[in-house]
Amino acid sequence: MNYKPIIIVPGEPNSIFFELFFKVIKKEIKSPIILIASRNLISKQAKILKKKFNFSIASELEIIKNKNNLKGINLIDVNFNQASGFSKITSKSNHYVSMCFDMAIKLLEKNVSNKFINGPISKKTFLKNKYNGITEYLAKKTKTKNFAMIIYNKNLSVCPLTTHLPIKYVSKKINKLEIINKVKLINSFWKKKFGKQVKIGVTGLNPHCESIDSFNEDKNIILPTIKKLKNLKYKIEGPFAADTIFIKNNRKKFDLIIGMYHDQVLTPIKTLFEYDAINITIGLPFIRVSPDHGPNESMLGKNKSNYLSLLNSIKFLDY
């Protein structure tokens, strides 16, 4: 059986990605891997981490030509010169990271694969406040209008209605169409990936779904939207108070919980599962998965970081 390759962009060069990657590739992985990165950088970091690697070097054209016959780890070497294996994160790596993403998108558009993983990036230096996160960056690159970010665990997943958005802007972005689009996307993904209709719980925006303001988003936007979706036969309930929906007997009723903003659902999911979760973007022309952690600059070169999220990212696409 031929497995489609998994295209991987490591992201920020000064991150823990390759430490994790060297650990993960010792595990059984059926799919071939196309790694888009700097061979020079990998060599320097491998020396520091006392790791050995033997990747097949291939050009973009060779990868496209042999896309159905790839094996093992295939490295497309992208030029990046850095004096040491690890350095301080700065904007000097932006062009390199951008080239890696552009190459990956080109291969995805050429139907080399539909499976994509990116490692962590620095929002401060790479995105420069132009995008809320890589989810939005990739959506823009692929001209995708309707997309959603899911933090996935097999026992419970979450989806923030708004992603990396300052709290003061959240209420302005909550509307019926946004909720409906997210639910339809999530339900379609669940049916295709897991063969079943997803059971969704929805949080309110305000504490206890109540507001002293004259306009209550929970009553005027969220509740009627949920009623409409229930009438359309979606398995959805809410709005629920965000401070109690994650209690064990409440959360076990759902496959996924939609929250109104980033930390409302990411804080409890990371508390519950720590590294045992992955970041999935749905709605793109391909499946994008990312380990659910950042560059972790304080741990560079220490060889002590937990690889579980990267392993789960690869396993999720290993079919």
Side-chain angles (χ1 to χ4, degrees), residues 82-293:
Q82 183 170 279
S84 59
F86 295 106
S87 184
K88 186 180 170 106
I89 295 176
T90 69
S91 59
K92 291 179 181 178
S93 64
N94 285 4
H95 181 62
Y96 163 72
V97 176
S98 181
M99 284 196 301
C100 292
F101 273 112
D102 287 346
M103 175 66 72
I105 291 170
K106 185 174 182 180
L107 294 179
L108 290 159
E109 289 175 344
K110 292 283 186 181
N111 294 317
V112 170
S113 181
N114 63 342
K115 303 186 287 188
F116 176 58
I117 292 175
N118 69 271
I121 54 91
S122 168
K123 294 181 181 67
K124 182 179 178 181
T125 56
F126 182 64
L127 299 180
K128 293 184 175 180
N129 297 322
K130 292 180 180 178
Y131 305 93
N132 291 343
I134 284 294
T135 299
E136 290 77 14
Y137 173 81
L138 291 172
K140 179 75 171 179
K141 285 275 187 182
T142 57
K143 298 179 181 178
T144 302
K145 300 293 184 183
N146 190 19
F147 56 90
M149 182 178 88
I150 295 174
I151 305 301
Y152 172 82
N153 176 280
K154 63 181 180 180
N155 296 310
L156 180 70
S157 302
V158 298
C159 173
L161 192 72
T162 60
T163 52
H164 302 90
L165 195 66
I167 290 293
K168 63 182 178 181
Y169 299 130
V170 169
S171 62
K172 298 173 184 176
K173 292 292 184 179
I174 294 172
N175 60 71
K176 294 178 181 180
L177 183 60
E178 190 69 20
I179 296 170
I180 289 169
N181 285 342
K182 288 283 192 289
V183 169
K184 286 183 176 180
L185 261 183
I186 293 165
N187 191 63
S188 177
F189 173 75
W190 234 259
K191 281 185 173 180
K192 186 175 181 180
K193 180 67 179 176
F194 306 111
K196 68 173 187 175
Q197 193 170 6
V198 63
K199 292 181 286 186
I200 298 174
V202 183
T203 72
L205 171 66
N206 301 291
H208 313 298
C209 300
E210 300 171 350
S211 177
I212 60 172
D213 194 70
S214 59
F215 185 83
N216 184 341
E217 293 85 357
D218 303 288
K219 181 180 178 180
N220 294 301
I221 299 175
I222 302 171
L223 179 58
T225 306
I226 291 172
K227 286 181 177 179
K228 179 176 181 178
L229 287 163
K230 282 174 72 89
N231 288 334
L232 293 172
K233 306 304 181 184
Y234 287 92
K235 294 182 179 180
I236 187 167
E237 301 288 342
F240 298 100
D243 64 344
T244 55
I245 192 173
F246 285 92
I247 292 172
K248 185 177 181 180
N249 284 337
N250 292 336
R251 70 176 187 258
K252 71 181 183 181
K253 301 171 186 175
F254 305 108
D255 300 306
L256 179 142
I257 294 172
I258 294 177
M260 295 301 109
Y261 56 92
H262 187 278
D263 285 11
Q264 191 184 41
V265 286
L266 267 73
T267 299
I269 203 76
K270 290 186 178 184
T271 302
L272 287 169
F273 302 121
E274 296 188 355
Y275 297 101
D276 194 10
I278 58 176
N279 187 328
I280 306 172
T281 302
I282 60 173
L284 299 172
F286 46 85
I287 302 174
R288 175 260 179 176
V289 179
S290 177
D292 194 31
H293 57 72

